[in-house]
Short mmCIF file of all heavy atoms in Angstrom, two decimals:
data_model
loop_
_atom_site.label_atom_id
_atom_site.label_comp_id
_atom_site.label_asym_id
_atom_site.label_seq_id
_atom_site.Cartn_x
_atom_site.Cartn_y
_atom_site.Cartn_z
N ARG A 1 0.80 -1.23 -0.04
CA ARG A 1 -0.01 -0.02 0.01
C ARG A 1 0.85 1.28 -0.01
O ARG A 1 0.40 2.32 0.48
CB ARG A 1 -0.97 0.01 1.17
CG ARG A 1 -2.12 -0.98 1.03
CD ARG A 1 -3.12 -0.87 2.11
NE ARG A 1 -2.65 -1.34 3.41
CZ ARG A 1 -3.19 -1.04 4.60
NH1 ARG A 1 -4.19 -0.18 4.64
NH2 ARG A 1 -2.70 -1.54 5.66
N SER A 2 2.02 1.19 -0.53
CA SER A 2 2.89 2.39 -0.66
C SER A 2 2.99 2.70 -2.17
O SER A 2 2.72 1.87 -3.03
CB SER A 2 4.27 2.14 -0.10
OG SER A 2 5.07 1.47 -1.00
N PRO A 3 3.36 3.97 -2.48
CA PRO A 3 3.49 4.34 -3.90
C PRO A 3 4.60 3.55 -4.62
O PRO A 3 4.61 3.61 -5.87
CB PRO A 3 3.78 5.83 -3.84
CG PRO A 3 4.28 6.12 -2.49
CD PRO A 3 3.58 5.09 -1.60
N ALA A 4 5.42 2.89 -3.92
CA ALA A 4 6.50 2.11 -4.51
C ALA A 4 5.92 1.02 -5.48
O ALA A 4 6.51 0.65 -6.50
CB ALA A 4 7.38 1.43 -3.48
N SER A 5 4.76 0.51 -5.11
CA SER A 5 4.14 -0.56 -5.93
C SER A 5 3.87 -0.09 -7.36
O SER A 5 4.25 -0.75 -8.33
CB SER A 5 2.84 -1.03 -5.27
OG SER A 5 3.08 -1.59 -4.02
N GLU A 6 3.23 1.06 -7.51
CA GLU A 6 2.94 1.60 -8.79
C GLU A 6 4.21 1.98 -9.56
O GLU A 6 4.33 1.81 -10.79
CB GLU A 6 2.00 2.86 -8.68
CG GLU A 6 1.68 3.48 -10.02
CD GLU A 6 0.91 2.56 -10.98
OE1 GLU A 6 0.28 1.62 -10.51
OE2 GLU A 6 0.98 2.79 -12.18
N TRP A 7 5.23 2.53 -8.82
CA TRP A 7 6.49 2.87 -9.48
C TRP A 7 7.15 1.62 -10.07
O TRP A 7 7.67 1.69 -11.20
CB TRP A 7 7.39 3.48 -8.42
CG TRP A 7 8.65 4.13 -8.95
CD1 TRP A 7 8.76 5.39 -9.53
CD2 TRP A 7 9.93 3.57 -9.01
NE1 TRP A 7 10.06 5.64 -9.85
CE2 TRP A 7 10.82 4.55 -9.58
CE3 TRP A 7 10.51 2.32 -8.63
CZ2 TRP A 7 12.21 4.30 -9.78
CZ3 TRP A 7 11.82 2.10 -8.80
CH2 TRP A 7 12.68 3.04 -9.39
N LEU A 8 7.10 0.49 -9.35
CA LEU A 8 7.68 -0.74 -9.90
C LEU A 8 6.92 -1.22 -11.14
O LEU A 8 7.48 -1.73 -12.15
CB LEU A 8 7.68 -1.87 -8.86
CG LEU A 8 8.64 -1.66 -7.67
CD1 LEU A 8 8.58 -2.86 -6.76
CD2 LEU A 8 10.08 -1.46 -8.14
N VAL A 9 5.56 -1.09 -11.07
CA VAL A 9 4.76 -1.49 -12.24
C VAL A 9 5.19 -0.66 -13.48
O VAL A 9 5.37 -1.25 -14.56
CB VAL A 9 3.27 -1.21 -11.98
CG1 VAL A 9 2.42 -1.35 -13.25
CG2 VAL A 9 2.74 -2.16 -10.89
N ARG A 10 5.34 0.63 -13.33
CA ARG A 10 5.69 1.47 -14.51
C ARG A 10 7.10 1.24 -15.00
O ARG A 10 7.38 1.51 -16.16
CB ARG A 10 5.58 2.93 -14.05
CG ARG A 10 4.16 3.36 -13.73
CD ARG A 10 4.02 4.81 -13.34
NE ARG A 10 2.67 5.20 -13.08
CZ ARG A 10 2.23 6.45 -13.23
NH1 ARG A 10 3.02 7.41 -13.63
NH2 ARG A 10 0.95 6.72 -12.96
N ARG A 11 7.98 0.67 -14.15
CA ARG A 11 9.34 0.40 -14.58
C ARG A 11 9.53 -1.07 -15.00
O ARG A 11 10.65 -1.48 -15.29
CB ARG A 11 10.35 0.72 -13.47
CG ARG A 11 10.84 2.18 -13.54
CD ARG A 11 9.78 3.17 -13.24
NE ARG A 11 10.20 4.52 -13.43
CZ ARG A 11 9.40 5.57 -13.22
NH1 ARG A 11 8.20 5.42 -12.75
NH2 ARG A 11 9.85 6.81 -13.46
N GLY A 12 8.47 -1.83 -15.06
CA GLY A 12 8.58 -3.23 -15.43
C GLY A 12 9.35 -4.04 -14.41
O GLY A 12 10.01 -5.02 -14.79
N LEU A 13 9.19 -3.71 -13.14
CA LEU A 13 9.96 -4.40 -12.06
C LEU A 13 9.06 -5.08 -11.04
O LEU A 13 9.45 -5.39 -9.92
CB LEU A 13 10.85 -3.39 -11.33
CG LEU A 13 12.01 -2.80 -12.17
CD1 LEU A 13 12.63 -1.63 -11.45
CD2 LEU A 13 13.05 -3.86 -12.42
N VAL A 14 7.78 -5.38 -11.45
CA VAL A 14 6.88 -5.97 -10.52
C VAL A 14 7.38 -7.33 -9.98
O VAL A 14 7.29 -7.60 -8.79
CB VAL A 14 5.52 -6.19 -11.17
CG1 VAL A 14 4.56 -6.95 -10.26
CG2 VAL A 14 4.86 -4.85 -11.54
N GLU A 15 7.92 -8.12 -10.84
CA GLU A 15 8.42 -9.45 -10.44
C GLU A 15 9.58 -9.32 -9.47
O GLU A 15 9.86 -10.27 -8.71
CB GLU A 15 8.81 -10.24 -11.67
CG GLU A 15 7.68 -10.60 -12.61
CD GLU A 15 6.59 -11.35 -11.90
OE1 GLU A 15 6.91 -12.29 -11.11
OE2 GLU A 15 5.39 -11.08 -12.13
N GLN A 16 10.24 -8.21 -9.48
CA GLN A 16 11.40 -8.06 -8.59
C GLN A 16 10.99 -7.54 -7.20
O GLN A 16 11.80 -7.47 -6.27
CB GLN A 16 12.40 -7.09 -9.22
CG GLN A 16 13.18 -7.68 -10.37
CD GLN A 16 12.32 -7.95 -11.59
OE1 GLN A 16 11.51 -7.10 -12.02
NE2 GLN A 16 12.48 -9.10 -12.20
N GLY A 17 9.74 -7.14 -7.06
CA GLY A 17 9.25 -6.57 -5.77
C GLY A 17 9.11 -7.63 -4.72
O GLY A 17 8.63 -8.75 -4.95
N VAL A 18 9.54 -7.36 -3.51
CA VAL A 18 9.36 -8.21 -2.32
C VAL A 18 8.56 -7.43 -1.35
O VAL A 18 9.04 -6.51 -0.68
CB VAL A 18 10.72 -8.57 -1.68
CG1 VAL A 18 10.53 -9.46 -0.50
CG2 VAL A 18 11.64 -9.25 -2.71
N PRO A 19 7.21 -7.75 -1.26
CA PRO A 19 6.32 -6.94 -0.39
C PRO A 19 6.46 -7.30 1.07
O PRO A 19 6.74 -8.41 1.46
CB PRO A 19 4.93 -7.35 -0.88
CG PRO A 19 5.11 -8.74 -1.44
CD PRO A 19 6.49 -8.77 -2.00
N TYR A 20 6.33 -6.26 1.94
CA TYR A 20 6.30 -6.37 3.40
C TYR A 20 5.05 -5.81 3.88
O TYR A 20 4.54 -4.82 3.36
CB TYR A 20 7.50 -5.54 3.99
CG TYR A 20 8.84 -6.22 3.83
CD1 TYR A 20 9.46 -6.25 2.56
CD2 TYR A 20 9.56 -6.74 4.89
CE1 TYR A 20 10.72 -6.83 2.42
CE2 TYR A 20 10.79 -7.28 4.74
CZ TYR A 20 11.37 -7.34 3.52
OH TYR A 20 12.64 -7.91 3.36
N PRO A 21 4.46 -6.43 4.90
CA PRO A 21 3.15 -5.92 5.44
C PRO A 21 3.36 -4.55 6.08
O PRO A 21 4.27 -4.33 6.83
CB PRO A 21 2.70 -6.98 6.42
CG PRO A 21 4.02 -7.66 6.86
CD PRO A 21 4.87 -7.67 5.62
N ILE A 22 2.35 -3.68 5.85
CA ILE A 22 2.46 -2.35 6.48
C ILE A 22 2.20 -2.38 7.94
O ILE A 22 2.66 -1.53 8.69
CB ILE A 22 1.47 -1.39 5.72
CG1 ILE A 22 1.84 0.04 6.05
CG2 ILE A 22 0.06 -1.67 6.10
CD1 ILE A 22 1.08 1.07 5.22
N MET A 23 1.45 -3.36 8.42
CA MET A 23 1.18 -3.55 9.81
C MET A 23 1.54 -4.94 10.22
O MET A 23 1.27 -5.91 9.56
CB MET A 23 -0.25 -3.29 10.13
CG MET A 23 -0.72 -1.86 10.07
SD MET A 23 -2.33 -1.55 10.73
CE MET A 23 -2.51 0.20 10.46
N SER A 24 2.22 -5.04 11.40
CA SER A 24 2.61 -6.32 11.94
C SER A 24 2.05 -6.42 13.36
O SER A 24 2.09 -5.49 14.13
CB SER A 24 4.11 -6.43 12.00
OG SER A 24 4.55 -7.58 12.75
N PRO A 25 1.60 -7.64 13.72
CA PRO A 25 1.07 -7.84 15.10
C PRO A 25 2.22 -7.92 16.14
O PRO A 25 1.99 -7.89 17.32
CB PRO A 25 0.32 -9.11 15.04
CG PRO A 25 0.96 -9.90 13.88
CD PRO A 25 1.36 -8.83 12.91
N ASP A 26 3.48 -7.98 15.62
CA ASP A 26 4.62 -8.15 16.54
C ASP A 26 5.04 -6.77 17.06
O ASP A 26 5.51 -5.93 16.30
CB ASP A 26 5.80 -8.74 15.76
CG ASP A 26 7.03 -8.99 16.59
OD1 ASP A 26 6.99 -8.65 17.78
OD2 ASP A 26 8.04 -9.45 16.05
N PRO A 27 4.93 -6.53 18.39
CA PRO A 27 5.31 -5.23 18.93
C PRO A 27 6.79 -4.90 18.81
O PRO A 27 7.21 -3.80 18.95
CB PRO A 27 4.82 -5.31 20.38
CG PRO A 27 4.88 -6.76 20.67
CD PRO A 27 4.47 -7.46 19.42
#
């Protein structure tokens, strides 16, 4: 859910993306 996702799409780098969750239950 960050703008980096769309930036990777536009640069043809979607497959190179490694997503991390924006919220973690781990304090």
